[in-house]
Amino acid sequence: MKADPQYLAPVMGAVDALTQLSQAMLDDLDEDHHGFTWWRGYVDDKRLALIAEYLMASVDGIKMSLGDAAFLVDECSQFSFADTKWTRDRVEAVQRMGGGMDTILRALRRSGVDEKRERRIRLAREHVFYHLAQVLDRLAAIIVGVGALNTPILKADWKIIGNEETWKKSQGREKSHWTQPAIGRDRQNWLRTSILKAVDAAGPADWLAWIDGTRNTNAHRAPKIQMHAVTKQTRTEPERLVYLFDRQPKWSMTEAIVGSQSLRLDAVWLLEDPLGLMRGALGATASVAEAVGNLLASLWADRRSDPQLLVQPAGQWPTVLEEPELSFAGFGHPVQITTKGGAFRVSPEQARRLRASGVFSPELWK
């Protein structure tokens, strides 16, 4: 058996838990009638097929995102090590010649491979949080699916779990036309409480909100001051230049400075080793993913034993095949492929999923 890369070690507990959940789902697939065997009778077959496949794809997506985040932390570590040596060599060369700060800054100007290395470090530093936030959004999707919450699974995000009012709305209302049975709502509440306990245990206060804010700011907002600082020399490590992450990622640069009511560096930026912070964020997210995987595997088994415990709501997939079709056909650089007749190969597991999703049953979609 091929060994997993060493950089995946921090996320393997979560990957194993999610793999067990995925296998339980795969074992319950109904290739003839679509969806899962014990989901029959909840909603129409189209929605069962769509929700079931999206649920399994989301589990796969969580494992992929965890692996991508772990890879980026490792990449950032390797490139940062090389960049620290490059920086020290140039600073020491200038100091030996008696040069001052202006000379050092000129020596640190980059081009070629050195500029690319700095860019790779910055991209890894940013993208690791994109993938960690992906984990959280995809976890929300499988929580919605397995937890039978009445909210669109395609739009699931962590706010569904974090906001109590949103959670309650997704359970249905006593006086509405649709609601989960009382024992089912109790189990849903147990699920949410257990997940939030896992979040609290995984890291320091507000760690999850900090990751989400960092991702959103990097993806959607104007860039801020990229702050670097020189560390103090110790007995075991000489001085080095480190990047500082924002203390309040959701605030604009001006708000961060004004809102801190201080011009102190540590009031605006986190005085923490960037790789240590990234590893901590990866570990905390993986811990929650592992806990959620185990909790949902338990709930899945209970629902299989008692299909009336929770009802899979149609509201998880409000419309079927109603999104407008795009006319985009590429930018005019077609490729010639060797496959004949539109045939393609997939793994046996994927073939089962395709059959259960109804893609080979045109009568389902009429």
Side-chain angles (χ1 to χ4, degrees), residues 79-120:
F79 283 119
S80 294
F81 181 83
D83 205 64
T84 294
K85 184 180 185 309
W86 178 86
T87 303
R88 284 175 179 162
D89 288 348
R90 276 146 187 78
V91 171
E92 289 172 1
V94 171
Q95 290 174 336
R96 283 195 299 269
M97 297 172 61
M101 182 57 68
D102 288 344
T103 310
I104 289 175
L105 292 176
R106 284 194 296 271
L108 293 179
R109 291 174 181 170
R110 298 169 183 263
S111 62
V113 295
D114 301 318
E115 186 276 332
K116 286 185 177 180
R117 184 178 59 251
E118 182 184 45
R119 189 179 296 271
R120 288 190 177 103

Side-chain angles (χ1 to χ4, degrees), residues 244-261:
L244 301 181
F245 282 100
D246 294 335
R247 184 175 289 276
Q248 304 294 340
K250 292 185 179 181
W251 295 3
S252 71
M253 193 71 259
T254 303
E255 287 178 317
I257 296 172
V258 175
S260 69
Q261 299 181 344

